[in-house]
Amino acid sequence: MKALLVFIPNIIVKQLPGYLIGYLREDSTVRGSIYVLGTDVGNKAPKCRTNHIVGTYSTGQNEIPSYDKNHHSEVWISIICSNKKIYLDSCILNNESVDVKDCLLIVYDSHSLLQSELLLSNHKKSNEINHFKIIASDLQSNKDYSTGYGFNIFSTIIDVVLMLLSVINFIISICSHVFKYSTLAMNFRNYYQTVLWIKNTYRKVRFINLKVGNSLVSILTDMLLGWLLFYFIARWKNSDEMFDSISMCTENVISSISHIVKWLMGSPAGLKLNQPLSSLFGSLVLYYLDLWWSFLSTVRPVLEIFFQILIRIGFLGLTFQLAVCADIFAIISFHVYCIYVYAARLYEIQAKGLYSLSRLFLGKKRNPEPGKVDSYPYTTEELLIGTISFAVLLFLLPTTLVYYVVFTVMRVGVMLISGILNRTIYFIQTLPVYVSFLWFFLPAYTATTMKLTPCEKTSTLKHGCLIAKAATSSWMDTIKLCKPDILPAPTPVKFGETTWKIIVGKLV
């Protein structure tokens, strides 16, 4: 015979005797499932989908009210609590008595089911029956969230912050074709979208859930870290000294690149390069470096004003300070990118030319259809011109390759530092302080499943008994479940694709 499942909350051991509130759920796999959501003590019954009285709860010394046929209930159970243990005394289903031996009593942690949000994740999408998710859904669907002054004050604060950020977001939206290359502008946009998402989510659910709480604590932590960093830097240097240090660093970078280029124009590491091409390319690079430094010197007053504004923006948090550093680093290293583009284009042209001319010696030519090569009888003149062109490109390739390798290494280094800054910003924006605190100290709020264990002294009971306790997933899995969906994660690095682009001379 199929068993009858009886789910009882563990809180009834601390309550006065009274009636049990719940309902019966039909189930094809078992005889039925009785969900007890609480007790009707002092006319304070929990709100559920049926709000039916399904039985009584009492101690061994109290008289249990008998089953009333006029109550019109599908089920009637009698629960006895003795020495903080819960026992099933009797059960009546559809006016027929059910032997307690055919019943399985499951005592669940009602506090965890009431507080944990992660238990309900994908609840409606799953086809499998999860009794604890059903009970958690019933308990949480009628949770009474506060909508008084606290709700209004928090909403007002969010509206004020959004109003201040909306002006900056509007300017960024208009000039998106320019500001999309600025880490600070993108950080502003993400900040605005996060605050807007917090507002919409809070007004929808009317309480601070795990994702909203994690975002709020991350923002506050970000601001606190930013203030502390600015305080220590201000004690070390003022804004003018900081700008002078950045200017000196820029000059040192340009000077270092100039020394490297002059070294390449000679015989780097004993290599014998093509002197005319090396001198031409080196002279162009040195001219571009002088031109870039002259430009920075001309616009220095504008950059000083801009730097003062950026310093004040740093009060918003550590992520903004890192974004400012990323933009300053992009400006400092912009000339490296430009020189890298020239070197990469020249190397790509030579590599493609050598690859195409190599077919000359095989009597092949490229077919316009993708991936096909046809045979072709070249004339003597074509072979002569092709051979000379191939030889010229081949002998010039080492010189081009040396410059390309040097500036590619610089470009990869710049990308590595920029990637570290961007991922640090994203990590701070999603800093799991709130969720980690709950996971360590209040695991009931981050429970993802219920763990069943046999009740003590099961052999002395007339029926089976299981204890359902809340269990959490790993710390990393919990963090992933509570990460805000609004923030775009940094683009993962495709090492294979990047390596291939570097080999063939494509821009990275």
Side-chain angles (χ1 to χ4, degrees):
M1 182 178 291
K2 295 181 179 180
L4 178 67
L5 304 181
V6 181
F7 293 85
I8 301 292
N10 58 354
I11 58 173
I12 65 173
V13 296
K14 301 178 182 179
Q15 296 179 349
L16 297 174
Y19 290 98
L20 300 173
I21 304 299
Y23 62 94
L24 173 67
R25 183 182 183 279
E26 301 293 336
D27 194 342
S28 59
T29 58
V30 293
R31 190 170 183 178
S33 301
I34 303 173
Y35 299 147
V36 177
L37 304 180
T39 59
D40 184 11
V41 181
N43 296 323
K44 295 181 179 180
K47 297 178 181 179
C48 60
R49 65 175 70 181
T50 58
N51 206 31
H52 284 174
I53 297 177
V54 294
T56 59
Y57 158 71
S58 63
T59 62
Q61 299 176 353
N62 298 95
E63 182 179 354
I64 304 174
S66 59
Y67 174 61
D68 186 4
K69 294 184 180 181
N70 297 325
H71 193 268
H72 302 292
S73 178
E74 299 176 298
V75 62
W76 190 269
I77 58 176
S78 298
I79 299 296
I80 297 178
C81 178
S82 178
N83 297 326
K84 296 184 179 181
K85 300 295 182 182
I86 301 174
Y87 306 95
L88 179 62
D89 183 70
S90 63
C91 179
I92 298 176
L93 182 62
N94 295 326
N95 296 327
E96 295 182 1
S97 178
V98 179
D99 193 347
V100 294
K101 294 181 180 180
D102 299 329
C103 300
L104 177 61
L105 185 66
I106 302 175
V107 182
Y108 63 87
D109 184 3
S110 59
H111 178 70
S112 298
L113 294 181
L114 182 64
Q115 300 298 338
S116 179
E117 304 168 29
L118 303 180
L119 276 169
L120 298 181
S121 58
N122 299 325
H123 166 51
K124 296 182 179 180
K125 297 181 182 180
S126 178
N127 295 325
E128 298 181 358
I129 298 176
N130 191 315
H131 299 284
F132 298 109
K133 288 187 176 182
I134 296 174
I135 297 174
S137 178
D138 290 331
L139 293 174
Q140 296 186 25
S141 61
N142 296 286
K143 191 186 292 186
D144 185 20
Y145 298 113
S146 175
T147 59
Y149 292 107
F151 177 83
N152 296 329
I153 292 174
F154 185 78
S155 299
T156 304
I157 294 174
I158 294 296
D159 290 336
V160 172
V161 174
L162 283 174
M163 185 172 58
L164 297 175
L165 294 176
S166 59
V167 178
I168 302 176
N169 183 70
F170 178 73
I171 298 174
I172 294 175
S173 300
I174 294 177
C175 306
S176 59
H177 58 285
V178 176
F179 286 118
K180 66 180 180 180
Y181 300 105
S182 172
T183 306
L184 180 61
M186 293 299 99
N187 193 51
F188 258 118
R189 169 160 288 188
N190 291 337
Y191 198 83
Y192 173 79
Q193 292 177 347
T194 301
V195 176
L196 182 62
W197 171 79
I198 289 175
K199 170 191 172 182
N200 295 334
T201 305
Y202 182 69
R203 288 188 173 179
K204 180 180 179 180
V205 301
R206 308 189 76 83
F207 76 103
I208 298 178
N209 57 16
L210 291 176
K211 291 185 177 181
V212 171
N214 198 60
S215 297
L216 288 174
V217 175
S218 298
I219 292 174
L220 294 177
T221 305
D222 179 23
M223 296 178 66
L224 179 61
L225 293 175
W227 292 341
L228 291 175
L229 180 61
F230 186 83
Y231 172 75
F232 286 114
I233 292 178
R235 294 187 60 183
W236 176 44
K237 288 183 178 181
N238 56 36
S239 57
D240 294 333
E241 293 175 341
M242 291 171 60
F243 185 82
D244 291 338
S245 298
I246 294 175
S247 178
M248 186 178 299
C249 180
T250 305
E251 185 177 3
N252 292 334
V253 170
I254 294 178
S255 178
S256 300
I257 296 176
S258 298
H259 287 303
I260 293 175
V261 172
K262 292 177 181 178
W263 175 66
L264 293 177
M265 292 172 67
S267 298
L271 297 175
K272 186 64 175 178
L273 303 181
N274 185 279
Q275 191 62 35
L277 179 61
S278 179
S279 298
L280 175 62
F281 198 81
S283 299
L284 290 175
V285 173
L286 292 176
Y287 172 76
Y288 184 81
L289 291 176
D290 293 338
L291 185 65
W292 178 248
W293 180 245
S294 299
F295 170 75
L296 292 179
S297 301
T298 304
V299 299
R300 181 184 175 95
V302 179
L303 292 177
E304 289 182 356
I305 298 175
F306 184 65
F307 183 74
Q308 295 294 336
I309 297 175
L310 294 180
I311 289 296
R312 304 300 183 270
I313 292 175
F315 277 110
L316 293 176
L318 181 59
T319 55
F320 288 91
Q321 295 171 348
L322 293 176
V324 169
C325 292
D327 286 343
I328 292 176
F329 182 73
I331 295 174
I332 293 176
S333 61
F334 180 72
H335 56 287
V336 174
Y337 176 73
C338 294
I339 299 171
Y340 159 75
V341 171
Y342 299 147
R345 291 303 186 193
L346 183 60
Y347 169 75
E348 183 183 13
I349 292 172
Q350 287 189 239
K352 285 184 176 180
L354 288 171
Y355 179 71
S356 298
L357 291 172
S358 64
R359 299 193 185 100
L360 183 73
F361 305 101
L362 301 176
K364 304 287 184 179
K365 74 169 186 177
R366 177 181 173 274
N367 191 305
E369 295 184 12
K372 290 189 177 181
V373 179
D374 295 338
S375 299
Y376 183 77
Y378 289 96
T379 63
T380 304
E381 292 79 5
E382 290 175 337
L383 288 172
L384 178 60
I385 295 174
T387 303
I388 294 174
S389 301
F390 183 85
V392 171
L393 292 177
L394 181 62
F395 289 124
L396 292 180
L397 182 62
T399 304
T400 306
L401 184 61
V402 168
Y403 280 89
Y404 174 68
V405 169
V406 171
F407 287 102
T408 299
V409 171
M410 293 183 184
R411 171 60 180 164
V412 171
V414 170
M415 292 176 59
L416 179 62
I417 296 175
S418 300
I420 292 174
L421 289 174
N422 289 328
R423 278 160 176 76
T424 304
I425 291 172
Y426 178 75
F427 173 75
I428 296 175
Q429 289 174 339
T430 58
L431 202 62
V433 178
Y434 180 71
V435 174
S436 299
F437 176 82
L438 294 179
W439 190 85
F440 281 105
F441 300 103
L442 298 172
Y445 289 85
T446 57
T448 55
T449 186
M450 301 296 288
K451 183 179 180 181
L452 295 174
T453 57
C455 181
E456 297 179 1
K457 301 180 180 180
T458 306
S459 58
T460 60
L461 300 177
K462 298 180 181 179
H463 54 81
C465 183
L466 297 175
I467 304 296
K469 294 183 179 180
T472 59
S473 299
S474 65
W475 181 62
M476 289 300 300
D477 292 339
T478 305
I479 290 175
K480 292 178 181 179
L481 291 173
C482 301
K483 186 176 295 185
D485 305 324
I486 191 65
L487 292 174
T491 305
V493 179
K494 299 178 181 179
F495 292 100
E497 181 179 346
T498 303
T499 304
W500 176 249
K501 285 184 177 181
I502 292 175
I503 292 175
V504 300
K506 297 291 184 180
L507 297 180
V508 293

